[in-house]
Each structure stands twice: as C-alpha cells, then as structure tokens.
Amino acid sequence: MLGVVYIQFMEMIKEKFSEDVLDDLLDEPSLSTGGAYTSVGYYDHTDIIKLVVALSKKTDIPVDDLVEAFGKHLFAALIDKYPMLAEDKTDALEMLESVDNSIHVEVHKLYPQAELPEFKCIRLSDTKLQMVYRSKRPFSILALGLIKGCAEHFGEQLTISHRNADSDDMFETHFDIEKVA
Ligand code: HEM
C-alpha cells in the first residue's frame, strides 16, 4: 500500500485522537518497517491492518468504524491533493461510476506501484448505482468510507447497502447506492 495512504492514516489518528496515541501504535513490534513510513514509500498492506486493529483495542472503537472513518478522511485528503479528479463531475454517482475507468487509471499513472481494486458499475436509474468491488485485499469497508466521503464532497445524501460475496481467492462486495437528496 502506498506511503501516501499510510501518511493520511497517521494524520487522521493525530487529528481524531492524539500524537501520543499514534506514537504508541507505531511502537507495535510486528510492523514490517519498525514504525517508519514516508509518502514516497510502498509498504505491505498488512501493516495498516495491524495498526487499525491496535487502534481499535486502544480506543474500544470497532475496526470497521475506524476503517470507514478513514475512508471518509482519505477521500477528502485525496481530492484536496488532486482536485481536478472531481472538477468535471456533476454529482457523486457520476464520480463513483468513473472510479474504475478514469480515476484509478489516473492514479495508476501517478503511482505505477498502486494496487487498486476493480469496481464494475451498473447504472440502474438516474438515482441508483450498483458497484461491485473486487480486490485481492480486504478493503471493502474502506471503499464504503470513500463512497460516503464522495457523498459528503458533493453535499449529497446517499443510502448505501452492501453485501459480502467473498470467494476463496478474491474479496468481493456488492454496493447498492441510491441518491436520496
Ligand atoms: C470515489 C470513490 C473511490 C473509491 C470507492 C475508491 C476505492 C479504493 C479502495 C477500496 C482502495 C484500496 C485498495 C483495494 O481495495 O485493493 C483504493 C486505493 C487507492 N485509491 Fe481509490 N477510491 C476512490 C477514489 C479515489 C480517488 C478520488 C483517488 C485520488 C487520487 C484515489 C486514489 C487511490 C489510491 C492512491 C489508492 C492506494 C493504492 C495503493 O496503496 O496501492 N481513489 N481506492
């Protein structure tokens, strides 16, 4: 996983908790880097899972709630860094529909090492979109947070339901998204 994602995760911990909480987490002995991450590095994605599990134990907040909150934070941070990715989109569903064949394509140009999920989209109506997340990595709840962050960015209310369809060699989640306001 890209260093920029780690850096944003650490930023969120400092903002929502404290620098001391972050320092304690980075002392976790099983981390592959000894707790040092830079924005230009590339690190095993299991480190972020270890960090989020340790944060959950420390704060008594469920892992999924922390990962979802991180997804929201990450969307805002990425759009702050790359505002052009959202500029030509009129609403959240249009943005979400373009993740697979436009946004993540640009991300891959910027960061050739990026390991990105697949999102197949089916537009059911003006207000309804189905997205199917498929990845070798278990980040569907991160996707949920990113989708919610996208809704917030456009000042929209979305109802989102999701169901797990993991198989032996692939993580898969189906999202049903409806714009309500
Ligand atoms: C709009 C909704 C978006 C969704 C639902 C989404 C979803 C995801 C998910 C779930 C991952 C984790 C990797 C995996 O699951 O295998 C990911 C990675 C990533 N996405 Fe997106 N994304 C969105 C928008 C964006 C935007 C706007 C950017 C802007 C730069 C972006 C950049 C990235 C980057 C840099 C990674 C990390 C790749 C890596 O660490 O190797 N995404 N995305």
Side-chain angles (χ1 to χ4, degrees):
M1 184 162 255
L2 291 170
V4 283
V5 177
Y6 277 86
I7 299 293
Q8 283 308 325
F9 185 62
M10 295 192 286
E11 285 298 317
M12 182 190 80
I13 295 172
K14 280 194 270 180
E15 271 171 32
K16 290 203 193 298
F17 303 98
S18 70
E19 198 132 8
D20 285 348
V21 167
L22 176 62
D23 288 344
D24 282 356
L25 294 183
L26 295 176
D27 283 340
E28 168 74 41
S30 64
L31 295 173
S32 68
T33 63
Y37 302 92
T38 71
S39 61
V40 292
Y42 198 85
Y43 309 98
D44 197 302
H45 73 273
T46 56
D47 270 19
I48 208 159
I49 296 173
K50 287 175 190 158
L51 286 167
V52 87
V53 168
L55 181 62
S56 168
K57 282 195 186 128
K58 206 172 172 57
T59 59
D60 263 338
I61 300 173
V63 165
D64 280 1
D65 291 1
L66 291 168
V67 173
E68 186 183 316
F70 177 51
K72 282 192 199 170
H73 170 96
L74 185 61
F75 184 89
L78 290 170
I79 289 302
D80 205 44
K81 206 169 157 69
Y82 304 106
M84 68 297 256
L85 293 175
E87 265 160 12
D88 60 337
K89 309 293 184 304
T90 52
D91 68 2
L93 294 192
E94 190 187 333
M95 176 98 190
L96 292 170
E97 237 179 337
S98 74
V99 171
D100 208 45
N101 50 23
S102 167
I103 294 174
H104 277 173
V105 174
E106 293 307 312
V107 170
H108 200 257
K109 287 183 201 158
L110 289 164
Y111 304 104
Q113 295 160 288
E115 291 185 306
L116 296 158
E118 177 191 294
F119 280 105
K120 287 281 162 270
C121 289
I122 304 171
R123 189 63 177 241
L124 300 171
S125 75
D126 271 3
T127 55
K128 282 188 186 171
L129 177 71
Q130 197 175 69
M131 289 179 92
V132 178
Y133 164 87
R134 297 181 84 234
S135 175
K136 293 275 181 203
R137 295 157 298 281
F139 290 128
S140 64
I141 300 301
L142 184 68
L144 177 65
L146 284 155
I147 294 168
K148 291 189 176 176
C150 181
E152 266 172 27
H153 174 83
F154 287 95
E156 290 172 25
Q157 232 181 300
L158 301 180
T159 55
I160 306 160
S161 62
H162 54 100
R163 93 185 145 78
N164 188 294
D166 291 349
S167 59
D168 286 347
D169 61 344
M170 195 57 91
F171 294 98
E172 182 170 319
T173 298
H174 296 227
F175 291 94
D176 281 306
I177 304 165
E178 183 170 8
K179 180 176 172 176
V180 285

